[in-house]
């Protein structure tokens, strides 16, 4: 069911990084043409549907996102929750700055049939124990989105940009990027890397290095001499 907006009331956003400002992976665009999940800005992921589908997320300079599906099958833009919320009424709202084709949205796929999203402000209500929110990007469709919010109750309240430091802290429990030097204790056969995290993470992380280099006794070691034996947790 679509709802109006209550401008004078505010409830916190249950979604993390609903304004899409935190982008720890640092890429200007993300894309996939398979059913495998590709993670984009913090807490949001894309996934292509079966068949000929390719989804791209472009991170715009103003902090908005543009999602494009240039092919002939459905694609998905999702925030999945690590634990479902308690049973109850939930309202989701979002603001689209532009749209072409068919874009629909659901609070929890199994709980609420997807509803069409239009340009401008949209709000939808669902009842249940949501485990995700999903945008369905139809074949040949695109949208530019400013924000997405989910809150308790059946009223869509005003959206305010959350302080980026708070969003960073909330999302860092799930994903973070470390840049800088790491001390390494080594032996003749292997090296063990220890990374001190500034905040407890939701679960043991998978560490995915983007680059490796080393300096031994003042001498830079060629990356061709370094071997990473898979990801670690």
């Amino acid at each position: 069911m679509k709802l109006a907006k209550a401008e004078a009331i505010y409830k916190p956003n249950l979604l993390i990084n609903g304004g899409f400002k935190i982008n720890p992976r640092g890429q200007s665009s993300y894309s996939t043409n398979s059913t495998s999940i590709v993670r984009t800005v913090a807490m949001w992921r894309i996934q292509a549907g079966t068949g000929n589908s390719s989804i791209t997320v472009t991170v715009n300079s103003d902090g908005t996102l543009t999602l494009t599906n240039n092919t002939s099958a459905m694609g998905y833009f999702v925030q999945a929750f690590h634990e479902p919320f308690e049973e109850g009424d939930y309202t989701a709202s979002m603001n689209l700055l532009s749209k072409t084709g068919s874009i629909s949205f659901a609070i929890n796929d199994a709980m609420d049939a997807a509803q069409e999203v239009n340009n401008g402000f949209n709000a939808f209500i669902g009842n249940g124990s949501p485990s995700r929110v999903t945008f369905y990007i139809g074949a040949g469709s695109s949208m530019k989105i400013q924000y997405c919010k989910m809150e308790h109750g059946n009223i869509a309240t005003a959206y305010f940009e959350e302080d980026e430091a708070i969003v960073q802290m909330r999302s860092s429990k799930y994903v973070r990027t470390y840049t800088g030097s790491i001390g390494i204790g080594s032996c003749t056969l292997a090296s063990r890397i220890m990374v001190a995290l500034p905040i407890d993470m939701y679960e043991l992380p998978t560490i995915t290095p983007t680059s490796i280099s080393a300096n031994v006794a003042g001498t830079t070691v060629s990356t061709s001499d370094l071997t990473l034996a898979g990801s670690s947790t």
Side-chain angles (χ1 to χ4, degrees):
M1 180 175 65
K2 290 195 174 184
L3 300 172
K5 178 167 55 173
E7 292 283 6
I9 306 173
Y10 171 74
K11 290 182 181 179
N13 193 353
L14 300 177
L15 303 179
I16 300 176
N17 199 28
F20 315 118
K21 298 296 190 295
I22 304 303
N23 183 19
R25 297 170 181 89
Q27 299 182 40
S28 59
S29 66
Y30 302 86
S31 62
T32 181
N33 58 4
S34 76
T35 55
S36 298
I37 291 169
V38 170
R39 303 188 186 280
T40 66
V41 296
M43 309 308 297
W44 293 91
R45 69 195 197 196
I46 51 175
Q47 189 172 5
T50 56
N52 185 23
S53 178
S54 177
I55 304 298
T56 299
V57 174
T58 301
V59 182
N60 301 311
S61 59
D62 60 0
T64 62
L65 298 182
T66 300
L67 287 96
T68 307
N69 181 355
N70 287 320
T71 50
S72 58
M74 184 71 70
Y76 312 97
F77 182 54
V78 180
Q79 182 166 144
F81 314 135
H82 280 77
E83 294 181 358
F85 286 94
E86 63 185 11
E87 191 84 15
D89 288 338
Y90 292 88
T91 298
S93 57
M94 68 278 316
N95 191 47
L96 266 60
L97 302 178
S98 64
K99 169 199 168 182
T100 60
S102 175
I103 308 291
S104 55
F105 176 86
I107 305 173
N108 203 7
D109 299 349
M111 178 183 73
D112 185 39
Q115 301 178 70
E116 188 72 12
V117 181
N118 299 310
N119 277 329
F121 175 79
N122 297 261
F124 308 98
I125 186 172
N127 179 272
S129 178
S131 60
R132 69 183 63 211
V133 294
T134 304
F135 286 91
Y136 297 85
I137 316 299
S141 301
S142 67
M143 70 173 182
K144 183 177 183 180
I145 184 169
Q146 180 186 18
Y147 70 82
C148 185
K149 178 180 180 179
M150 189 179 85
E151 57 195 304
H152 290 290
N154 54 15
I155 297 176
T157 66
Y159 174 80
F160 296 98
E161 284 288 351
E162 197 171 17
D163 184 276
E164 288 192 24
I166 295 175
V167 180
Q168 182 74 64
M169 182 179 68
R170 293 178 72 198
S171 62
S172 290
K173 292 181 68 67
Y174 304 92
V175 56
R176 64 176 294 104
T177 300
Y178 180 91
T179 303
S181 301
I182 303 175
I184 301 177
S186 63
C187 64
T188 56
L189 297 178
S191 296
R192 179 164 296 183
I193 302 173
M194 302 188 70
V195 181
L197 299 173
I199 185 172
D200 288 340
M201 301 196 75
Y202 181 82
E203 59 190 7
L204 285 175
T206 296
I207 299 174
T208 306
T210 56
S211 63
I212 342 173
S213 62
N215 187 288
V216 179
T219 302
T220 300
V221 178
S222 169
T223 54
S224 63
D225 296 326
L226 301 175
T227 301
L228 180 70
S231 298
S232 302
T233 55

